[in-house]
Amino acid sequence: MTIVRSAVAGTLESSDALVSIAPSRQLEVHVESVVMKQFGDAIEASVRQVLRELSVTGAQIRVQDRGALDCTIRARVETAVLRGGEEKPS
Amino acid sequence: MIRSMLFIPGNSPSMLQNADIHRADALILDLEDAVSPDQKDAARVLVRRAVQALGFAGCKLIVRINPVDTAYCEEDIRAMVPLKPHMIMPTKVGCPETVQAVSAMVGEAEAASGIPRGAVGLIPLIETCEGIENALAIARADPRVKALFLGAEDLTSDMRAKRTKAGQEIGYSRAKIVSCARAAGVEVYDTPFTDVNDEEGIEADTALAKSMGFTGKASISPRHVPVINRLFSPTPEEIEYAWEVLDIIEEARRQGKGAISLRGKMIDKPIVDRARFVLQMAKMLGGEGV
Amino acid sequence: MSKLCTTLRSAMEKAGLTSGMTISFHHHLRNGDHVLNMVLAEAAAMGIRDLTVQASSLFDIHAPLIDHIKSGVVTGVEANYIGQLVGRELSLGLLDKPVVFRSHGGRPAAIESGRVHIHIAFIAAPTADCQGNLNGLYGPSACGSLGYAFSDARCADRVVAITDNLVPYPAMPASIEETVVDYVVPVESIGDPKGIVSGTTRITRDPVGLLIARYAAEVIRHSGLLKDGFSFQTGAGGASLAVTRYLAPIMKELGVKGSFGLGGITGYMVDMLQEGYFQKLLDVQCFDLKAVESIRDNPSHQEISAVRYASPDAKTAAVNNLDAVILGATQVDEGFNVNVHTDSNGFIMGGSGGHSDTAAGAKLAMIVAPLFRARLPIVVDKVITTSTPGSTVDVLVTQRGIAVNPARQELAHSLKAAGLPVYPIHDLRSMAERLTGVPRPVARGNRVVAKVEYRDGSLLDEIYQAKD
């Protein structure tokens, strides 16, 4: 998947996360979270894993987490990628 | 066995993460009315990831998908079938052809994801006058159909009737859908009671649904689930009576008697069947039964 | 001698305020209180320094205190509860001297025994006369009960009543009497009614909170305590208040006539009094307008002092007659110790209030809390701060299960027999961590920024500096 346009997914409601994505050559992941101290690293690892699964190699990603469970964070990242991305020509 | 079905909005993480705490027998994960058109994609992904991660053990899963005449329907089916939900709920079903179209799509999705053919059932949502009048054909449209579900809000609007708490306006539809479902040998579920704060109302509406023959009832509020579970479970008196019925026919069989009566009432086959059903239900709910 | 002073300044001068003194405040005006801020502003203007603020509670409205600490006007803080705005600064190490936390029962015990000496008590008086007879029932800043101020008024060297509703002598009733008041200062306004009491306290609509409340009510039903004479206390927040909604129908069904409701009182407890579920209300603090109206008009709804509410030194206190209390928590550990002082990052954002007092006194002390909040499990290995010792806590109720203190085996048996989802507390922790993942422990500094005194005056725990 190639990120070709800016997109967002999710909300800033409690237990959700707002994920913004934009085209970029490198992978830049920025995480803000109400549970930064407890789960900051875990969130970043999940974001990177979803990006790998979707073969995203370049993107600027910002996660604003409001205490979402891991599955929610992964879902919002996936949706943002699908909204901002296009299949790579094989 | 499903007595209660609880609607959970498909794009709400806070509702999804606590969906299974209310002891509803089934969850209806909603991709349709609870999700705005611009979030249909997000809801599909969220529901898929939530089901995979959280499991919802102890609740049967039903997914309400968008109507077959929308672009979302096929994508909903492709995304949800791999989760092996107990049933998929097609919406605004007016005729058997709609059910068959959905069934074909579900079949393709089953094949694509390596799920045994027919594993995923259907529970068509009947919410138009056309649907009510075609209820028998809809129930018989496809072997996937396991149950019918009555949706009174859209139905009354289609009827140009006023939706009331007493529900006289849907009396005919309730009777008709129960009769058609039973004729086709499938289960049948009643529309939700929509006033979350009316405790007497939910009690009365649920009692009415049970007395009319529904298998169970849906709910949009977790607070209604305990009432629905209670009223759709056999009461201790019903269980006691069912045991007495079985005892007395056993006794009659031993003595070679034909006609028997209990508490001054003739015991015939329907009463015996009913007693067996009550005890089966009691057993499934963890009590003593047959 | 006229006690009436024309300005706050003159009252403070007459009362002999000097640097190094301990001055006290009560919190019935809650987040609408103007009195603490106006006294400290005046003290700063007088050039006073090194004051110790002995407050029953501090709220966000008291944020100006932060600047008075920075400028050296205030160098000591003692309170039973500190809201998050002031709490945050104190957690980062604003004060050199550690904050002293007490409980609502421990504070008056410390004051009456002389362990805490108050030089000047400032009493926010919604209604007062020129000799200092005062009450909280009438006036633009009416707040109902003045229960937490009684010991301050009785034991301080000097007592200054500050009122925005001066009435002709004698003010009636006199919750605090002229016999202990030195000066009376009329001012424009002692508080903002919007912050003092909420118009109505609302029960949560959150389905998780409601389910927890339903389980809590069922725990009471099967505790063996729910019979004629039953007494009850519950908080005003989250799931706690909602317990009343489920308890009332159970009492009705069983035909149980309760004796009294205790504590901070809400309109929901007033409803239960009016509907006959309870015969009396004992009230240290009113949470909403309905409670204020009731304590004013209903002889069965009575103001009580903090001593009578919860003092461990009193010959008897109301908490010792309490059957069941519903309490909140930010953390509970596997030993049932409860934290209500600090958040998950170690920042001060609360305090005991009556938590440890009622837990110690009541026959059934029940904690109600969601299994996890914002991805943080409620059950932890070790609470960051021990506010209430686990030996006094009987049950933890969450939306996914109920844990019973192993010391209460018979209670665990009756709850299980009733079909309630009872688990070992460790299982509740695992259940949460399966959903949330395991949170990483939070690093804290080495410096002690606050001490938590248990209700008997012993040191219960220390709070270490938090890190941003």
Side-chain angles (χ1 to χ4, degrees):
Chain A
M1 204 65 112
T2 309
I3 303 304
V4 295
R5 66 185 88 83
S6 300
V8 295
T11 71
L12 290 174
E13 285 166 33
S14 137
S15 305
D16 203 348
L18 185 68
V19 175
S20 324
I21 197 163
S24 168
R25 234 174 250 179
Q26 280 122 23
L27 215 50
E28 299 164 54
V29 178
H30 176 73
V31 174
E32 301 156 31
S33 170
V34 294
V35 289
M36 199 65 198
K37 287 178 185 168
Q38 292 85 355
F39 289 108
D41 293 346
I43 293 170
E44 183 167 339
S46 292
V47 173
R48 288 185 184 276
Q49 198 190 343
V50 173
L51 294 176
R52 248 193 327 273
E53 283 164 13
L54 296 170
S55 309
V56 177
T57 50
Q60 226 176 21
I61 290 225
R62 180 178 177 212
V63 178
Q64 292 163 275
D65 168 51
R66 292 288 185 271
L69 295 183
D70 187 57
C71 60
T72 301
I73 289 167
R74 288 170 187 257
R76 296 321 192 189
V77 172
E78 181 178 338
T79 302
V81 168
L82 296 177
R83 287 176 177 178
E86 276 173 11
E87 288 294 344
K88 279 177 198 155
S90 47
Chain B
M1 185 197 47
I2 297 173
R3 296 160 298 175
S4 53
M5 313 193 294
L6 176 63
F7 274 100
I8 302 289
N11 200 33
S12 166
S14 61
M15 299 290 280
L16 278 166
Q17 70 191 25
N18 280 303
D20 55 338
I21 63 174
H22 302 286
R23 298 188 171 185
D25 296 322
L27 301 176
I28 305 174
L29 307 176
D30 190 9
L31 301 178
E32 196 218 9
D33 281 356
V35 180
S36 61
D38 59 340
Q39 298 299 331
K40 298 288 186 193
D41 56 340
R44 249 176 246 131
V45 176
L46 183 66
V47 165
R48 169 165 54 74
R49 295 232 177 222
V51 169
Q52 284 166 345
L54 309 177
F56 302 125
C59 298
K60 294 213 161 92
L61 294 186
I62 298 169
V63 184
R64 178 159 85 164
I65 59 170
N66 288 285
V68 75
D69 58 358
T70 66
Y72 311 119
C73 178
E74 200 173 343
E75 278 196 72
D76 289 348
I77 290 172
R78 274 207 302 263
M80 294 300 120
V81 165
L83 303 174
K84 274 218 291 198
H86 181 58
M87 294 187 277
I88 278 180
M89 180 183 290
T91 41
K92 308 226 163 49
V93 177
C95 58
E97 290 76 15
T98 302
V99 175
Q100 286 147 2
V102 170
S103 176
M105 285 189 264
V106 170
E108 279 172 36
E110 281 173 344
S113 48
I115 292 171
R117 187 167 179 83
V120 178
L122 292 179
I123 173 170
L125 171 49
I126 312 265
E127 50 186 337
T128 59
C129 294
E130 189 196 8
I132 292 293
E133 295 310 323
N134 289 332
L136 181 60
I138 290 168
R140 286 176 167 164
D142 190 279
R144 284 187 197 277
V145 175
K146 302 279 185 283
L148 298 182
F149 175 37
L150 175 68
E153 305 309 310
D154 284 17
L155 174 64
T156 43
S157 144
D158 195 31
M159 289 164 66
R160 300 187 202 171
K162 187 174 181 312
R163 181 83 174 98
T164 67
K165 278 189 187 175
Q168 267 171 326
E169 70 283 0
I170 56 167
Y172 162 76
S173 305
R174 275 174 158 160
K176 169 110 184 174
I177 197 172
V178 169
S179 180
C180 293
R182 297 303 176 204
V186 303
E187 303 298 341
V188 59
Y189 292 92
D190 191 33
T191 191
F193 183 71
T194 49
D195 185 343
V196 176
N197 293 313
D198 181 353
E199 320 242 329
E200 285 166 18
I202 175 65
E203 192 91 19
D205 200 48
T206 307
L208 176 62
K210 180 175 180 184
S211 73
M212 291 187 75
F214 283 95
T215 312
K217 186 173 172 70
S219 150
I220 52 164
S221 164
R223 282 165 54 193
H224 291 170
V225 171
V227 177
I228 295 172
N229 281 349
R230 173 164 50 79
L231 289 176
F232 277 100
S233 304
T235 63
E237 293 74 31
E238 284 171 330
I239 295 171
E240 173 69 29
Y241 179 71
W243 278 118
E244 280 182 41
V245 168
L246 292 200
D247 285 350
I248 202 155
I249 58 157
E250 177 63 21
E251 178 73 22
R253 202 176 53 79
R254 267 205 305 271
Q255 297 179 2
K257 270 202 265 177
I260 36 169
S261 69
L262 176 65
R263 298 183 193 176
K265 207 179 157 200
M266 277 294 289
I267 301 296
D268 50 11
K269 186 168 182 301
I271 291 184
V272 175
D273 290 347
R274 175 86 203 152
R276 289 220 165 88
F277 173 74
V278 163
L279 292 175
Q280 261 170 22
M281 231 178 135
K283 192 178 180 191
M284 279 190 275
L285 292 169
E288 199 183 345
V290 288
Chain C
M1 181 194 93
S2 171
K3 293 178 176 178
L4 214 51
C5 303
T6 49
T7 63
L8 178 59
R9 176 83 167 243
S10 68
M12 289 164 67
E13 284 169 355
K14 284 182 189 168
L17 182 70
T18 54
S19 295
M21 281 187 163
T22 294
I23 58 177
S24 87
F25 303 90
H26 64 106
H27 72 276
H28 296 93
L29 303 183
R30 307 210 301 163
N31 205 33
D33 174 50
H34 293 162
V35 168
L36 187 141
N37 291 342
M38 73 172 88
V39 168
L40 289 183
E42 202 59 55
M46 288 163 72
I48 304 283
R49 298 181 62 78
D50 200 18
L51 293 173
T52 293
V53 169
Q54 168 55 257
S56 53
S57 295
L58 295 169
F59 290 88
D60 287 356
I61 197 169
H62 300 128
L65 173 62
I66 294 165
D67 284 332
H68 293 306
I69 294 174
K70 285 180 180 161
S71 64
V73 175
V74 174
T75 53
V77 172
E78 308 195 352
N80 307 344
Y81 174 101
I82 300 180
Q84 64 165 4
L85 208 58
V86 177
R88 185 181 166 75
E89 295 298 322
L90 295 173
S91 307
L92 290 169
L94 183 63
L95 272 174
D96 291 335
K97 204 159 49 174
V99 172
V100 179
F101 275 110
R102 291 189 182 81
S103 69
H104 282 339
R107 178 179 186 269
I111 293 169
E112 304 236 339
S113 70
R115 279 188 288 119
V116 164
H117 184 84
I118 299 169
H119 296 97
I120 306 174
F122 293 92
I123 311 290
T127 288
D129 64 30
C130 60
Q131 301 291 13
N133 295 295
L134 61 91
N135 67 58
L137 306 181
Y138 304 96
S141 305
C143 61
S145 176
L146 295 177
Y148 299 122
F150 286 27
S151 292
D152 304 40
R154 231 164 65 84
C155 302
D157 295 343
R158 292 283 174 270
V159 175
V160 177
I162 302 174
T163 188
D164 55 5
N165 187 36
L166 189 68
V167 297
Y169 183 91
M172 256 185 220
S175 292
I176 291 174
E177 295 182 343
E178 58 185 310
T179 54
V180 297
V181 177
D182 295 276
Y183 303 102
V184 179
V185 193
V187 296
E188 183 66 29
S189 163
I190 60 169
D192 172 8
K194 283 201 285 290
I196 299 172
V197 286
S198 37
T200 53
T201 322
R202 286 257 169 95
I203 279 184
T204 179
R205 292 179 59 193
D206 168 35
V208 174
L210 290 173
L211 180 63
I212 293 169
R214 191 155 65 81
Y215 282 146
E218 289 299 323
V219 169
I220 293 174
R221 182 209 288 262
H222 298 287
S223 66
L225 296 168
L226 198 55
K227 45 195 181 210
D228 283 349
F230 174 71
S231 58
F232 179 63
Q233 174 170 341
T234 189
S240 308
L241 189 58
V243 177
T244 57
R245 145 187 237 136
Y246 294 100
L247 186 60
I250 295 175
M251 291 176 73
K252 194 173 193 173
E253 180 192 327
L254 301 177
V256 167
K257 205 168 173 184
S259 55
F260 69 95
L262 177 64
I265 296 294
T266 60
Y268 286 93
M269 289 302 286
V270 171
D271 288 342
M272 291 188 83
L273 174 71
Q274 288 173 352
E275 289 158 21
Y277 293 105
F278 294 106
Q279 307 313 301
K280 301 286 190 307
L281 294 181
L282 301 178
D283 187 340
V284 269
Q285 182 190 5
C286 298
F287 283 127
D288 55 27
L289 283 175
K290 201 166 185 174
V292 176
E293 280 164 21
S294 169
I295 199 172
R296 188 166 62 209
D297 302 333
N298 189 340
S300 295
H301 180 169
Q302 205 179 69
E303 178 182 48
I304 59 167
S305 69
V307 173
R308 183 173 170 203
Y309 172 41
S311 170
D313 290 353
K315 294 191 176 172
T316 66
V319 293
N320 301 106
N321 288 304
L322 195 56
D323 283 324
V325 63
I326 312 291
L327 298 163
T330 58
Q331 296 178 316
V332 182
D333 66 27
E334 294 193 16
F336 284 83
N337 299 300
V338 179
N339 174 16
V340 288
H341 278 92
T342 45
D343 67 16
S344 313
N345 293 321
F347 284 90
I348 294 165
M349 44 105 264
S352 285
H355 201 285
S356 59
D357 300 308
T358 50
K363 294 187 186 74
L364 176 67
M366 195 182 335
I367 308 294
V368 292
L371 190 66
F372 57 93
R373 275 192 197 98
R375 204 178 169 177
L376 295 170
I378 186 80
V379 184
V380 296
D381 182 37
K382 177 83 192 75
V383 285
I384 291 179
T385 309
T386 300
S387 311
T388 296
S391 58
T392 61
V393 174
D394 300 304
V395 185
L396 166 65
V397 179
T398 75
Q399 75 271 33
R400 287 183 188 269
I402 297 167
V404 180
N405 191 321
R408 299 292 311 271
Q409 281 304 327
E410 78 299 347
L411 179 62
H413 285 313
S414 15
L415 299 185
K416 268 186 217 161
L420 289 168
V422 177
Y423 299 95
I425 193 164
H426 178 77
D427 291 9
L428 291 187
R429 181 179 169 198
S430 319
M431 229 182 261
E433 287 180 353
R434 266 200 300 279
L435 296 167
T436 63
V438 180
R440 248 193 8 209
V442 170
R444 281 174 300 153
N446 297 320
R447 211 182 110 201
V448 172
V449 295
K451 290 170 181 290
V452 180
E453 257 189 29
Y454 193 46
R455 54 200 302 259
D456 62 5
S458 62
L459 181 67
L460 186 61
D461 204 354
E462 292 174 322
I463 299 174
Y464 291 88
Q465 190 169 14
K467 288 180 173 172
D468 243 335

